[in-house]
Amino acid sequence: MDHAADGHEPVVREEEAIQHPLGVYFKIWILLFVLSAMSYAVDYYQVQGYLRWFLILMFMVLKAGLIIAVFMHMVWERLALVYFILVPPILLLTFVAIGSLEADWTFFQRGVHFLKELIIAAPVSPHH
Amino acid sequence: MSTDTMAVDSLELKPGVAGFLDDWGSDQRAFKGVPWGKAMMWIFLVSDTFIFGCFLASYMTVRMSTLEPWPIPSEVFALSFGGAPIPLILIAIMTFVLITSSGTMALAVNYGYRKNKWVTFWLLFATALLGATFVGMQVFEWSKLILEEGVRPWGNPMGAAQFGSVFFMVTGFHGFHVSIGVIFLFIFSYKVARGHLDDQTPGWFTKRGGNYEEIEVLGLYWHFVDLVWVFIFAFFYLW
């Protein structure tokens, strides 16, 4: 199917131009800069521990959300397309769950077999 | 599909969840009013999401399971401009360059739909240059790491060997995406400047008529590259 030739396109274009005023893009652009600066500040000021992870994840999700929603026009799409894009990646959480279970087991086994003294001497480091 | 059917389509489209069920149960194409190229690009991007998702999940697995201390990215990627080293500064600049390019790309799509040929051209060209700048900085980052810090995919002096393998795999694959994007941004700047999209000139490869919707499709790819960087920045460089 070649929709470029079906004569319907100019109507769609006109709607697009009306739907997306430039101001929205500039606001999101500025927000993305601010959020990036803030996530860099997390590292620059050496925020550590759970607060660090929480801030990193929060700024990441906000940035990703803004890019997908506005720059990639997701807020203007029909749900048929939105669900097709956003639902399948949720499956990745399954890989994350399996991966972390396996990693914990591998870490434990390595500790038992190769570095018994490391486990006894030092508790699990914050990076694990 | 004829013009009439399209018109009927757009008249009868329901909003919300009812519309979603109708679209998917319509026994025709499910993505109503979505141009062919855009639907295909989204299918590609969802599959690409799984590739990068699997990379990041494996990164999590190897980082969690190593007994060696993980090198601290904040120090590894610090740069000194004469004074004390500034932590992670190169990566921060790369992030800002990529976000700037995302903004110019979003504006290019918008001006494309307004059929403003020269503004679209300059915005696309600026996006391409910013993308090339990003790749250039990545080349600098890689050479510094390989030549000065002695990082290899199989080991490094700072700690866990997996650091190198993950770094080269993830940032390499992302940099490859950026490079492909830069090439297409230059190609489309040329096409816009030559008026191929205004005149609906057939492309050399697909033979489909040129159209400003192609800029939106290209924009989807470019924003996706920026999106992946958001996750790499958070999980690899900041974590």
Side-chain angles (χ1 to χ4, degrees):
Chain A
M1 283 189 295
D2 190 349
H3 296 296
D6 65 16
H8 187 67
E9 304 304 318
V11 181
V12 176
R13 273 197 218 112
E14 216 170 296
E15 281 168 5
E16 290 267 1
I18 294 165
Q19 277 173 358
H20 307 178
L22 284 174
V24 178
Y25 290 104
F26 282 110
K27 278 174 201 149
I28 299 303
W29 204 359
I30 292 165
L31 261 177
L32 285 172
F33 268 108
V34 172
L35 288 169
S36 298
M38 284 165 93
S39 48
Y40 177 59
V42 170
D43 189 72
Y44 191 82
Y45 294 107
Q46 284 299 309
V47 181
Q48 296 296 348
Y50 286 111
L51 181 63
R52 180 189 184 91
W53 295 341
F54 170 75
L55 289 175
I56 290 172
L57 288 181
M58 186 179 71
F59 294 138
M60 181 191 82
V61 168
L62 286 175
K63 276 170 74 179
L66 288 176
I67 292 172
I68 297 171
V70 180
F71 280 5
M72 298 175 97
H73 298 170
M74 194 74 98
V75 285
W76 293 291
E77 300 292 356
R78 291 180 58 72
L79 282 182
L81 188 66
V82 173
Y83 286 170
F84 155 71
I85 295 159
L86 294 186
V87 174
I90 295 173
L91 290 172
L92 285 168
L93 293 177
T94 318
F95 296 148
V96 172
I98 295 171
S100 60
L101 281 174
E102 197 206 0
D104 278 342
W105 176 246
T106 312
F107 181 73
F108 171 71
Q109 289 295 317
R110 281 176 178 166
V112 167
H113 291 290
F114 303 123
L115 286 161
K116 282 176 189 158
E117 67 280 10
L118 183 108
I119 296 225
I120 298 159
V124 179
S125 79
H127 284 291
H128 298 115
Chain B
M1 188 177 286
S2 73
T3 311
D4 291 343
T5 340
M6 285 291 286
V8 171
D9 262 4
S10 51
L11 278 179
E12 291 180 349
L13 289 184
K14 287 185 199 160
V17 177
F20 161 68
L21 294 173
D22 261 20
D23 289 1
W24 274 39
S26 63
D27 201 20
Q28 304 169 28
R29 56 201 189 104
F31 308 127
K32 313 280 188 195
V34 177
W36 174 87
K38 193 159 126 183
M40 289 300 128
M41 180 52 84
W42 268 120
I43 289 172
F44 167 71
L45 293 183
V46 170
S47 70
D48 228 16
T49 304
F50 272 82
I51 291 179
F52 279 108
C54 290
F55 277 174
L56 289 174
S58 354
Y59 155 60
M60 176 202 73
T61 308
V62 297
R63 182 162 173 175
M64 279 173 75
S65 60
T66 176
L67 296 178
E68 298 286 320
W70 196 261
I72 301 160
S74 183
E75 291 167 12
V76 177
F77 301 101
L79 266 190
S80 165
F81 301 99
I86 309 169
L88 212 61
I89 186 67
L90 180 67
I91 311 304
I93 297 171
M94 285 166 78
T95 304
F96 284 117
V97 167
L98 210 54
I99 283 182
T100 311
S101 79
S102 239
T104 52
M105 184 75 236
L107 295 180
V109 174
N110 200 288
Y111 277 101
Y113 278 125
R114 288 160 201 255
K115 296 204 148 203
N116 191 331
K117 180 171 134 181
W118 287 109
V119 177
T120 310
F121 165 77
W122 283 113
L123 285 167
L124 278 179
F125 197 69
T127 312
L129 289 182
L130 287 162
T133 309
F134 180 90
V135 177
M137 293 174 79
Q138 202 170 28
V139 169
F140 172 77
E141 179 198 18
W142 275 48
S143 28
K144 183 170 174 287
L145 238 62
I146 295 169
L147 300 173
E148 287 175 29
E149 318 274 343
V151 178
R152 299 286 181 274
W154 53 86
N156 64 77
M158 282 92 70
Q162 291 90 333
F163 177 82
S165 16
V166 170
F167 172 78
F168 289 118
M169 184 180 68
V170 173
T171 66
F173 209 71
H174 178 265
F176 174 67
H177 275 74
V178 179
S179 308
I180 297 291
V182 168
I183 292 169
F184 273 90
L185 281 165
F186 278 125
I187 292 174
F188 272 88
S189 318
Y190 171 80
K191 282 167 79 102
V192 169
R194 291 294 300 269
H196 287 185
L197 304 191
D198 290 316
D199 309 339
Q200 309 219 335
T201 315
W204 65 274
F205 186 61
T206 61
K207 305 288 182 253
R208 296 172 67 230
N211 193 306
Y212 275 103
E213 268 160 10
E214 291 172 33
I215 304 294
E216 185 183 1
V217 175
L218 179 63
L220 283 178
Y221 177 82
W222 192 254
H223 294 311
F224 178 78
V225 167
D226 187 23
L227 185 65
V228 170
W229 184 255
V230 169
F231 288 91
I232 295 176
F233 183 61
F235 288 130
F236 188 79
Y237 291 103
L238 291 179
W239 203 262

